[in-house]
Amino acid sequence: MTDTVRPTLPFAPTVTEYDAVVFDNDGVLVELTSMDVLRDAIRAAFADVGVDEPDQRHVELAADHEDLDGLAAIESTYGVSLEEYWPARERRAIEYQRELIRGEGKPPYDDLHRITDLDAALGVVSNNQQATVERIVAEYGLHDAVETVHGRTPTVAGARRCKPDTYYLDAALEDLGTRDALYVGDSESDVVVAQRAGIDSVYLRRPHRAGAELSVEPTYEFESLAALVDALEK
């Protein structure tokens, strides 16, 4: 039976100094994208490839990029290959999220700019699309502080390289020129990818993760970026 790490309130632990700190994007720097927005983007992408009334099960599968094997069923159902559909899905997701950002529907957390106080190289590694994450970094004035940004490429292969695969995190660490790094995320896969990459991790227990339970142990746990930055600055 797998042990479960139950949620606890952080107590501002002493944090080691690091040459680099790398952040997840959604749920860490900015609020999560509404699933309704993603579903609208996914339906638009189906229409782009000639499927006007996709089954809701396939809409939900496409909303969860982690189950690409399940989504392969669209080929037998609609005669459209996943390799044809997926780039359309990514284009629409980028388009709809950009509109969301412009309309202030994907706001930054209040403590976002505290990360610029850190005396370390900064990076962002996200399972969201590269273009979406680059837009967020630019929109919220982080482009001068963040040295490298890696999101998924808009292909099936790009989606398969998402966390907990270390592909994008490895690329960011190579850009930053160090493995003396800390990865900050809000999901179990963020903790796992850090472990696989051989670096330390922070589990950021934002309000949307308040009751979450983990089956892995992060190096540190904090409730906010502000608390993390304060600990790193000591």
Side-chain angles (χ1 to χ4, degrees):
M1 182 175 179
T2 302
D3 291 335
T4 298
V5 180
R6 299 195 176 277
T8 58
L9 291 176
F11 56 92
T14 301
V15 181
T16 304
E17 290 185 5
Y18 296 90
D19 290 339
V21 182
V22 183
F23 300 89
D24 180 30
N25 180 62
D26 301 270
V28 172
L29 304 180
V30 297
E31 293 189 7
L32 298 171
T33 301
S34 163
M35 288 304 297
D36 287 339
V37 170
L38 285 178
R39 290 183 186 105
D40 288 344
I42 285 156
R43 291 188 187 96
F46 271 115
D48 289 343
V49 296
V51 180
D52 293 328
E53 296 184 6
D55 189 294
Q56 184 61 28
R57 293 172 299 172
H58 296 137
V59 172
E60 297 301 329
L61 278 170
D64 180 6
H65 66 268
E66 295 180 2
D67 191 6
L68 292 172
D69 292 334
L71 192 58
I74 67 170
E75 185 164 9
S76 58
T77 304
Y78 309 113
V80 176
S81 70
L82 180 58
E83 286 71 17
E84 179 183 357
Y85 170 71
W86 196 254
R89 185 264 190 219
E90 295 289 70
R91 286 193 301 272
R92 287 295 191 174
I94 292 166
E95 173 190 340
Y96 277 54
Q97 288 185 96
R98 281 180 172 172
E99 289 299 319
L100 198 64
I101 294 163
R102 279 196 286 266
E104 300 182 351
K106 192 174 174 65
Y109 286 102
D110 292 343
D111 56 2
L112 169 64
H113 283 279
R114 286 298 311 280
I115 70 174
T116 63
D117 295 337
L118 292 174
D119 186 21
L122 305 182
V124 178
V125 172
S126 172
N127 279 353
N128 213 328
Q129 300 89 7
Q130 175 81 16
T132 300
V133 183
E134 287 178 344
R135 178 69 180 180
I136 287 167
V137 168
E139 184 75 17
Y140 297 126
L142 296 176
H143 50 281
D144 289 335
V146 173
E147 296 184 25
T148 186
V149 175
H150 285 273
R152 71 177 188 254
T153 54
T155 63
V156 173
R160 293 194 188 282
R161 289 169 171 165
C162 283
K163 299 173 294 185
D165 190 297
T166 63
Y167 181 86
Y168 297 115
L169 181 55
D170 284 337
L173 296 174
E174 183 174 349
D175 291 344
L176 296 170
T178 184
R179 288 269 165 179
D180 180 25
L182 182 67
Y183 187 61
V184 184
D186 70 322
S187 70
E188 183 161 314
S189 68
D190 292 325
V191 178
V192 173
V193 75
Q195 291 177 345
R196 290 180 178 178
I199 65 173
D200 288 349
S201 64
V202 168
Y203 183 70
L204 200 66
R205 197 175 286 280
R206 295 279 196 194
H208 66 282
R209 300 297 189 204
E213 297 181 350
L214 303 177
S215 61
V216 290
E217 184 76 51
T219 313
Y220 311 104
E221 183 177 315
F222 291 91
E223 288 183 317
S224 67
L225 288 176
L228 168 62
V229 172
D230 287 344
L232 284 166
E233 288 186 315
K234 288 182 179 179

